[in-house]
Structure formats: structure tokens, C-alpha cells
Amino acid sequence: MIAKNDRMFSNYLKIAIRILWHNKVYVTLNILGLGFAIACCILSYLNYNYRANFDKNLRSEQAVFRLNSIRMVDGTKQPWATIPSPIADALVKEKTGLGRTVRFSNAAVVVKIGSTRLMSTFILQIDRFLIYLIFR
């Protein structure tokens, strides 16, 4: 009984390989499409996971809020993860219940001396209270 099943499986496998060998372009396109789809799914999950677990590593995560803004770009509304810097000070002054605010400011720069380009770097400016939030 086992030998019969083994022969039947090997026969099916040979037929499948023969069919796939004759349709190389079709098989290649299907495998590439499947790989692209899996890569998109992984990327979507990583994006969701980053957004869902934002600031989860802080001890006071319930007291941390992130403000986003909606901007008009070419006539359409787009959400941005940035707000103008004076809003943080205005929120504290208006007694909204916020104890501290932290502002992030970033920029990409190229360091040049004369006509020589040394490096491209990323500068991140953070208010001093971020250290307090993370390490308290």
C-alpha cells in the first residue's frame, strides 16, 4: 500500500514539473508576483506595527501624545506627522492639562569644505525634556 502511494505521488510530481518546465515565463511571472505581494504585506505590517506601538517603550506611555497636522497639498488633504513649533508652547500656555512638551526638529545636510563634499548627515534637534520622559 505504501509503495503504491509513493509511485502515485512521484508520478504527480513528474507531471507537475513537466508542465511547469514547459511554461517557464508563466511560472516566473507568478513567482515574481507572489514575492512582490509577500514583500508588500511584510512592509504593510511593519508600518502598522510601528504606528501601533509608537512610544510603548516609555514608562509613562499613557501620558504621551503625538500631534499630527493636516495640510493641503495640490488641493488634497494629507496627514503629516509634524506641526508648527509654536503650537507646543501655545498648548502649555492655554492650560490644556499638558505638563511638558517635546518638539522634534530634523534636517538633512551636506557638509562641504571648499568644493569637496564630505558627508551627508541627518541632524535631529530635541527639546531637553525628552531625556526626562525616557529616563524617569
Side-chain angles (χ1 to χ4, degrees):
M1 190 75 167
I2 293 174
K4 184 179 179 183
N5 286 341
D6 285 343
R7 281 183 280 151
M8 187 169 54
F9 179 72
S10 75
N11 187 30
Y12 285 152
L13 188 60
K14 286 178 188 177
I15 292 170
I17 290 173
R18 234 182 259 141
I19 291 171
L20 292 176
W21 189 255
H22 290 297
N23 298 317
K24 293 176 193 171
V25 175
Y26 179 73
V27 169
T28 303
L29 286 175
N30 276 330
I31 290 174
L32 290 175
L34 184 62
F36 182 73
I38 290 173
C40 287
C41 288
I42 291 171
L43 189 62
S44 297
Y45 170 74
L46 290 174
N47 187 24
Y48 165 77
N49 193 33
Y50 172 76
R51 289 177 180 267
N53 295 321
F54 191 78
D55 289 334
K56 294 286 184 191
N57 57 340
L58 299 176
R59 290 186 200 138
S60 58
E61 70 174 282
Q62 297 297 325
V64 175
F65 299 94
R66 179 179 173 183
L67 295 178
N68 296 325
S69 63
I70 296 177
R71 296 183 182 180
M72 292 294 289
V73 178
D74 294 330
T76 60
K77 292 182 179 180
Q78 292 183 355
W80 288 62
T82 59
I83 60 169
S85 294
I87 290 180
D89 293 332
L91 287 173
V92 172
K93 286 179 185 175
E94 290 184 13
K95 307 289 185 206
T96 57
L98 296 177
R100 292 180 179 81
T101 60
V102 178
R103 294 174 299 202
F104 293 93
S105 176
N106 56 18
V109 296
V110 177
V111 178
K112 288 185 178 182
I113 296 178
S115 63
T116 306
R117 181 178 140 173
L118 294 178
M119 68 176 69
S120 178
T121 186
F122 182 74
I123 296 175
L124 183 63
Q125 175 189 349
I126 304 171
D127 284 349
R128 61 190 163 103
F129 293 118
L130 181 65
I131 307 296
Y132 176 80
L133 259 177
I134 293 175
F135 296 109
R136 85 176 166 158

